[in-house]
Amino acid sequence: MTENLRPTRAEATDVANAILDGSDAILLGAETLRGLYPVETISTVGRICAEAEKVFNYDLYYKRAVKYAGDEMSHLESITSTAVRAAIKVKASVILCFTSTGRAARFIAKYKPTTPVISVVIPRLKTNQLRWTFTGAFEARQSLIVRGIFPMLADARHQAESTNATNESVLKVALDHGKASGLIKSHDRVVVCQKLGEAYVVKILELED
């Protein structure tokens, strides 16, 4: 579509096949760099992606991903794949994932859940012996390229492994963010994946009014 308003059959097929192959993102080159119709190109690619997503076999993809992961999964991948399975079984509207590095959310996205993943990035306080800095913004920004992840940066006062009261506080903020974004409604089910102390926890919440 560098010089034409409509894509060729080959171009449209390439975009659709990229989605069916499990790609997270599509990078356009000449079409948006020096093309005559950059806005129309992005709109067209978006429509093709949306149509391809409608015929994507999520159940088969999940089973294949688990099979290829093998019997000896890491502790984190085992928990996150379980969270995806739970979301499928209970028809959850959202998976909430608490993370400091974004790794747990990326593991969830690896299995291509049909539900959106709200990645709640918990900032960490670090020092190089000269100054103190908070991490988290970079990790949240990186997640934007991964399909299905909606990152949000938690308050720096919240720690990844803190008291129950603090965990409930940041959970409420995340649920409110999901409601404001239109991802969560009353009476929806939400799967939560988080680390409490040394243990990873997956729980299912059924929201009230």
Side-chain angles (χ1 to χ4, degrees):
M1 293 181 67
T2 306
E3 298 177 352
N4 299 301
L5 191 57
R6 292 174 61 85
T8 64
R9 183 180 299 175
E11 288 173 329
T13 302
D14 286 344
V15 172
N17 282 336
I19 298 302
L20 297 177
D21 288 340
S23 298
D24 283 308
I26 294 174
L27 177 65
L28 298 173
E31 294 86 357
T32 52
L33 178 64
R34 54 181 173 80
L36 300 178
Y37 307 101
V39 176
E40 291 83 355
T41 299
I42 294 172
S43 176
T44 301
V45 168
R47 290 200 303 272
I48 295 171
C49 291
E51 289 300 317
E53 286 267 6
K54 292 178 182 178
V55 297
F56 189 89
N57 192 330
Y58 293 98
D59 187 51
L60 179 61
Y61 186 93
Y62 174 80
K63 290 177 180 177
R64 284 181 175 175
V66 171
K67 178 182 177 181
Y68 293 144
D71 295 330
E72 296 185 3
M73 286 184 181
S74 67
H75 193 174
L76 180 59
E77 183 166 7
S78 176
I79 290 296
T80 51
S81 64
T82 300
V84 175
R85 179 171 175 78
I88 294 171
K89 290 297 183 180
V90 304
K91 295 181 172 56
S93 59
V94 156
I95 299 175
L96 268 180
C97 177
F98 293 83
T99 178
S100 293
T101 63
R103 191 161 170 257
R106 290 195 296 273
F107 265 129
I108 291 175
K110 168 185 175 179
Y111 292 93
K112 295 282 189 290
T114 55
T115 58
V117 180
I118 298 180
S119 174
V120 184
V121 181
I122 310 293
R124 280 183 173 177
L125 186 62
K126 298 182 69 176
T127 181
N128 60 1
Q129 297 184 341
L130 293 176
R131 62 174 182 169
W132 292 88
T133 56
F134 277 110
T135 64
F138 175 75
E139 289 77 6
R141 193 163 53 246
Q142 274 190 322
S143 300
L144 289 169
I145 199 170
V146 182
R147 174 206 169 275
I149 293 183
F150 296 82
M152 66 167 283
L153 190 61
D155 192 302
R157 290 170 295 180
H158 293 142
Q159 299 298 316
E161 303 169 22
S162 54
T163 64
N164 287 334
T166 306
N167 287 326
E168 290 300 321
S169 174
V170 72
L171 175 60
K172 184 179 184 306
V173 171
L175 291 173
D176 289 343
H177 174 75
K179 291 175 181 177
S181 303
L183 299 175
I184 303 174
K185 301 185 294 295
S186 298
H187 306 294
D188 279 355
R189 290 173 180 164
V190 176
V191 173
V192 180
C193 180
Q194 65 183 136
K195 187 176 182 181
L196 298 176
E198 294 301 317
Y200 288 96
V201 177
V202 173
K203 57 185 178 181
I204 300 169
L205 304 178
E206 188 155 355
L207 304 183
E208 300 176 353
D209 290 333

